[in-house]
Amino acid sequence: MKLDAQTIAGLAAHLESCELEARDTPKITDEHPQMDWDDAYAIQDAIRRRKTDRGHRIIGLKAGLTSHAKMKQMGVETPVFGFLADNFAVPEGGECRVSELIHPKVEPEIAFVTRRALKGPGCHIGAVLAATDFVLPGIEVIDSRYRDFKFDLKSVVADNTSAARFVVGGRAIPASEVDLRTIGIVLEKNGEPVAFGAGAAVLGHPAAAIAMLANHLGARGEEIPAGTLILSGGITEAVAVAAGDSVTLRVQGMGSVGLRFVE
Ligand code: OOG
Ligand code: MG
């Protein structure tokens, strides 16, 4: 750790107020270039504690930057992990208020729900599939608090990996019923297909993203508990949205899920 406890608390307060007030900020590594990975996750953990202290529940986890399309779009090379709080959830077919966000983008993802806890090190795709209750389509709405979505990996980890809103729905199926590598997805905005892909875009197999998360947590003495919802990461580049847009994700064999963006 390179930052002291007071600086970490201050940066968490700053980033969370940017989130709550829909206000952007330059990336925090500009002022704190010495910040390391442990500092970045410590800032994210402090944001998480601010939320639970105010009575919010953490209802899931997420992996991000798990596809080459996303890594290329953001100019980075390693996956990152974050959390989902209860107020991030949008009901299936529901409304997402853009006035509460800075510059939202949508990502097509496969969501996992675990039946058993997953613990690293050594977690692999097989262990993830064995511990998965079901998989279902999910759309993540990301909203980096950093000006113009310009960040480096440590800054984005501290900012809870741009997590803002998400919706899951469609048809939930056992992971054994599909080949998650070859399932096709189509993301539609206002009825027009805007992005296409297949599950393998996420680290060769979306379950690999869940295994990486379990191994990341294992290194910190933590695990993925049973019954956790996890977003495995955008399959394609993220697509910008504005008030008036409606977005639908169709996943082969898993139906569709959607939401509408309102002022
Ligand atoms: C970071 C979050 C990326 C994903 O699915 O790749 C992410 C960002 O691009 O702002 O959630
Ligand atoms: Mg995502």
Side-chain angles (χ1 to χ4, degrees):
M1 303 266 290
K2 300 285 181 345
L3 304 182
D4 59 36
Q6 199 183 340
T7 308
I8 285 172
L11 288 168
H14 171 62
L15 286 172
E16 206 212 9
S17 25
C18 287
E19 177 202 331
L20 298 176
E21 294 160 23
R23 188 158 55 72
D24 69 5
T25 176
K27 65 180 192 307
I28 57 175
T29 44
D30 291 353
E31 290 249 343
H32 303 277
Q34 77 283 27
M35 199 176 119
D36 67 16
W37 285 102
D38 289 338
D39 294 318
Y41 278 104
I43 295 166
Q44 183 190 117
D45 287 347
I47 294 175
R48 181 174 167 147
R49 271 195 309 277
R50 291 174 66 86
K51 294 189 184 303
T52 51
D53 285 351
R54 285 200 310 273
H56 284 296
R57 280 196 319 127
I58 304 307
I59 55 164
L61 299 172
K62 61 167 280 190
L65 305 174
T66 49
S67 67
H68 287 293
K70 278 291 310 185
M71 291 188 213
K72 192 163 159 242
Q73 182 179 31
M74 305 324 296
V76 294
E77 279 167 3
T78 330
V80 292
F81 307 103
F83 66 83
L84 304 170
D86 52 7
N87 61 315
F88 297 1
V90 176
E92 183 165 10
E95 289 180 350
C96 177
R97 295 200 162 279
V98 293
S99 54
E100 295 171 359
L101 302 172
I102 305 161
H103 42 201
K105 296 184 189 179
V106 289
E107 301 180 316
E109 307 208 9
I110 304 296
F112 287 66
V113 174
T114 55
R115 166 160 36 100
R116 287 202 301 274
L118 274 167
K119 201 172 169 74
C123 185
H124 50 79
I125 293 175
V128 172
L129 293 176
T132 296
D133 202 354
F134 53 84
V135 290
L136 76 172
I139 299 172
E140 185 178 26
V141 182
I142 53 168
D143 191 38
S144 176
R145 270 52 72 167
Y146 298 121
R147 197 150 300 155
D148 304 321
F149 259 92
K150 293 240 167 16
F151 51 66
D152 49 41
L153 278 173
K154 288 169 192 153
S155 294
V156 76
V157 163
D159 182 33
N160 190 23
T161 67
S162 312
R165 300 286 183 270
F166 71 92
V167 58
V168 290
R171 199 158 82 88
I173 59 171
S176 57
E177 269 185 31
V178 273
D179 181 349
L180 287 172
R181 295 168 305 168
T182 54
I183 45 157
I185 67 101
V186 181
L187 184 72
E188 295 176 0
K189 186 163 103 170
N190 305 322
E192 298 286 334
V194 288
F196 319 86
V202 171
L203 297 171
H205 192 305
I210 313 301
M212 270 190 97
L213 169 62
N215 291 329
H216 161 81
L217 291 175
R220 296 154 49 104
E222 296 166 28
E223 62 178 26
I224 303 176
T228 304
L229 170 77
I230 310 151
L231 296 176
S232 59
I235 293 169
T236 70
E237 282 186 15
V239 176
V241 286
D245 286 339
S246 76
V247 172
T248 303
L249 170 63
R250 299 182 193 286
V251 181
Q252 195 178 357
M254 290 190 232
S256 63
V257 63
L259 79 175
R260 284 176 300 122
F261 292 86
V262 299
E263 200 45 57

